[in-house]
Amino acid sequence: MKRKIAVIGSGFSGLSAASFAAKDGHEVHIFEKNHSFGGRARQFTTENGFVFDMGPSWYWMPDIFDSYFAEFGKKTSDFYELISLNPQFEMVFSDENLNLPQNFDEMKALFEALEPGAAENLEKFMQDAKYKYEVGMKDFVTKPCFSWTEFFSVKILKSALKLDLLSNFRSFVGKYFKNSKLRTLMEFPVIFLGASPENIPALYSLMNYGGYRLGTFYPMGGFYKIIEAMMSICGDVGVQFHNNSAVEKIISEKGKVKSILVNGELLEFDSVIASCDYHHTETKLLTDQEKNYTDEYWKSKTFAPSCLIFYLGISERIKIKHHTLFFENDLDLHTSEIYSDKKWPSKPLFYVCCPSQTDDSVAPEGCENMFLLMPIATGIEDSDEMRQKYFTQMIERIEKHTVTENLAQKIIYQKSFCLNDFKEDYNAYEGNAYGLANTLSQTAVLKPSLKNKKIKNLYYTGQLTVPGPGVPPSIISGKIAAHQATL
């Protein structure tokens, strides 16, 4: 039976959900509160010719993107050109810099130079991580997670011990590497999963495989090219888009969604998929009786970081890699101040993305496009003074690394984005940027449910539900939600 389905939010999970629901023959409408589509992956262009991706910048797990487009008879190359980055990124330490090569043999040589025997151990690590990736991304994360019985397949049960769900990531890395720089290099990918490495299941070594081994890529024109591609897919299957359309209420009757209130107008729908912030949906769009979870529930959850971001246009070219990680300070100190002490970091780590090193279209000729990101705790106070304090620190460290004098004076465009902006633009709970942490106690069935327990045709998708934070998981989440909404 053909249904009329509303999708709230146009990020990766929303576009994914809409495209799959429409592909199944349903009438689908996407409602986006902002002027531009894409959620956290929006893009903006300045008057002086800089093009900034606002959010995601790491193109990892390329097979997940390939699989999505293949579902619609397309290839990524039909929509954008992918460049394989070499080096994949540079990691800046206090005494030396490491460039992670694209080529795996060169990567092993780098590891061996830092620690005898590390090349062989990297091979073993990646073999193990590949197994987790293939089982995890193809079987584990595709479940709606309503019950543990979903995982009672012979394949998954046989894989349970090899998936290392009960051991922590730090100990797992320590089995293979002793060199502190190599351990930091291997632990880096899990920082944005929402906990320190000792609190993340070793299962997530799959991220090292999905990134380091499969490679780090860049879509020419920016990450927004993926949003445009998914919007094109949605258009092909008949999805209708509505921007500047804030959903103000979800109205139900006798345990079923009846309509939604959009900019003061009631619109009738048979089902709703909420791709917006889960907490916002529950607290602002539903009555207390219709919510899955209480405020106490959300307060008890561990969230992945928020972040302080700066979008900078630089008037000259500088010597920096496409991705550069500034890790001169202690990783454990920074993570404890994100997840435990919950305060602004005393000695922060941060990340710089400079896509103009690869893509001339994102900056005027002779200029540089730079994106600075510092992970911070959710729920802390955000102020212009605090933003400026850390901006100064980051600029000074970039100057030192690139041997650039008076970098601040060469900035011809500057915009910041932080906790208050995440709340304003995305209704993000406590200003979160990456959703819920992927800790063991917040994995699979223990995540917020994909389905509303009081309203049978209301579903949730995105980084606050299964499978979790990140672009590929969000695309998978949308597919799962669409399947449930169209059963």
Side-chain angles (χ1 to χ4, degrees):
M1 182 180 73
K2 183 176 181 179
R3 298 174 192 165
K4 188 177 180 183
I5 300 172
V7 176
I8 307 173
S10 64
F12 284 106
S13 65
L15 292 173
S16 175
S19 59
F20 282 110
K23 181 188 175 190
D24 283 345
H26 303 283
E27 179 184 335
V28 181
H29 296 254
I30 289 180
F31 296 92
E32 170 57 55
K33 72 182 284 287
N34 295 305
H35 176 71
S36 56
F37 297 100
R40 285 167 167 78
R42 291 180 298 161
Q43 188 179 78
F44 70 94
T45 302
T46 69
E47 291 183 356
N48 52 353
F50 292 95
V51 181
F52 292 101
D53 284 324
M54 294 191 69
S57 58
W58 290 84
Y59 195 106
W60 278 358
M61 304 183 182
D63 55 312
I64 304 300
F65 296 95
D66 293 342
S67 295
Y68 169 79
F69 290 109
E71 295 264 13
F72 299 89
K74 300 289 186 179
K75 300 177 181 178
T76 55
S77 58
D78 294 331
F79 301 100
Y80 50 84
E81 178 189 2
L82 271 184
I83 301 296
S84 179
L85 298 181
N86 187 31
Q88 298 188 43
F89 59 85
E90 182 171 26
M91 184 168 276
V92 179
F93 293 100
S94 59
D95 57 348
E96 68 175 321
N97 308 324
L98 298 182
N99 286 278
L100 190 76
Q102 172 197 56
N103 181 275
F104 190 57
D105 286 335
E106 293 177 12
M107 195 185 304
K108 289 193 292 184
L110 171 67
F111 275 57
E112 189 68 21
L114 289 169
E115 179 182 320
E120 182 180 353
N121 285 340
L122 179 62
E123 184 76 58
K124 292 176 181 177
F125 181 99
M126 286 300 178
Q127 288 174 0
D128 180 274
K130 179 182 181 181
Y131 179 84
K132 291 173 182 171
Y133 186 84
E134 292 177 343
V135 174
M137 298 307 294
K138 292 180 174 63
D139 298 307
F140 198 79
V141 303
T142 57
K143 307 295 183 185
C145 296
F146 297 136
S147 167
W148 289 113
T149 58
E150 296 169 26
F151 300 94
F152 289 177
S153 72
V154 173
K155 183 177 181 180
I156 291 178
L157 289 174
K158 282 184 176 180
S159 305
L161 289 177
K162 290 185 179 180
L163 290 176
D164 282 318
L165 282 168
L166 299 179
S167 55
N168 73 71
F169 190 76
R170 169 153 292 171
S171 297
F172 182 77
V173 169
K175 290 194 317 185
Y176 293 90
F177 311 106
K178 303 305 177 189
N179 180 276
S180 61
K181 292 185 176 68
L182 291 183
R183 293 178 68 158
T184 298
L185 184 70
M186 299 305 283
E187 289 178 355
F188 144 68
V190 305
I191 292 175
F192 297 102
L193 291 177
S196 56
E198 65 265 24
N199 293 324
I200 291 286
L203 164 70
Y204 290 103
S205 63
L206 63 85
M207 290 188 65
N208 298 86
Y209 179 81
Y212 299 2
R213 192 66 179 92
L214 295 184
T216 302
F217 298 86
Y218 171 78
M220 294 297 284
F223 222 86
Y224 194 69
K225 287 295 181 182
I226 309 164
I227 292 292
E228 291 179 335
M230 294 180 72
M231 289 179 67
S232 177
I233 292 289
C234 285
D236 289 344
V237 291
V239 174
Q240 299 179 51
F241 288 87
H242 310 272
N243 61 342
N244 300 314
S245 299
V247 175
E248 299 158 331
K249 213 73 181 172
I250 298 172
I251 294 95
S252 67
E253 188 175 283
K254 296 180 180 178
K256 289 187 67 177
V257 167
K258 182 180 179 182
S259 59
I260 59 175
L261 184 66
V262 183
N263 294 341
E265 181 182 2
L266 275 178
L267 303 173
E268 292 191 357
F269 284 93
D270 299 312
S271 298
V272 171
I273 301 173
S275 174
C276 51
D277 185 88
Y278 200 126
H279 174 267
H280 170 77
T281 302
E282 296 249 282
T283 57
K284 301 298 182 183
L285 307 187
L286 302 175
T287 65
D288 286 344
Q289 292 72 34
E290 295 168 329
K291 296 191 299 186
N292 276 349
Y293 306 105
T294 64
D295 285 343
E296 287 69 29
Y297 170 88
W298 292 107
K299 290 175 183 176
S300 72
K301 297 291 103 178
T302 301
F303 277 79
S306 185
C307 50
L308 168 60
I309 300 171
F310 282 93
Y311 309 98
L312 304 178
I314 313 295
S315 62
E316 66 179 48
R317 304 304 297 264
I318 64 174
K319 292 182 179 179
I320 195 167
K321 301 297 189 298
H322 188 119
H323 295 303
T324 306
L325 301 161
F326 286 79
F327 273 55
E328 311 101 307
N329 297 325
D330 183 56
L331 171 62
D332 289 342
L333 175 62
H334 192 149
T335 55
S336 69
E337 290 172 341
I338 292 175
Y339 308 119
S340 302
D341 295 344
K342 292 192 72 101
K343 63 181 182 181
W344 283 88
S346 51
K347 294 183 178 181
L349 314 176
F350 70 101
Y351 155 63
V352 174
C353 180
C354 191
S356 49
Q357 290 287 322
T358 304
D359 186 354
D360 290 336
S361 74
V362 299
E365 185 177 355
C367 296
E368 213 76 90
N369 173 319
M370 290 180 64
F371 169 102
L372 280 55
L373 184 151
M374 186 180 79
I376 58 174
T378 58
I380 57 178
E381 184 180 354
D382 177 13
S383 68
D384 290 339
E385 292 76 18
M386 196 61 74
R387 295 186 190 195
Q388 185 59 41
K389 171 186 173 181
Y390 287 96
F391 172 73
T392 301
Q393 290 184 30
M394 288 189 281
I395 288 296
E396 289 174 351
R397 287 161 67 180
I398 295 169
E399 283 182 335
K400 179 181 177 181
H401 174 64
T402 60
V403 195
T404 304
E405 295 182 359
N406 303 316
L407 181 58
Q409 296 176 21
K410 298 168 183 175
I411 296 171
I412 55 177
Y413 180 83
Q414 178 176 327
K415 173 185 173 69
S416 66
F417 200 93
C418 198
L419 290 147
N420 293 341
D421 303 296
F422 280 102
K423 294 174 186 176
E424 175 67 24
D425 285 13
Y426 311 126
N427 297 314
Y429 179 69
E430 293 196 333
N432 82 83
Y434 300 99
L436 278 180
N438 271 339
T439 58
L440 185 59
S441 63
Q442 295 179 168
T443 294
V445 177
L446 303 177
K447 284 187 181 292
S449 176
L450 196 79
K451 186 175 182 179
N452 187 283
K453 302 168 186 176
K454 318 286 179 58
I455 304 172
K456 69 178 184 178
N457 52 347
L458 171 60
Y459 304 86
Y460 306 87
T461 187
Q463 61 185 12
L464 287 176
T465 184
V466 294
V471 175
S474 290
I475 293 173
I476 293 168
S477 181
K479 182 179 180 180
I480 300 170
H483 177 71
Q484 295 298 315
T486 56
L487 284 175

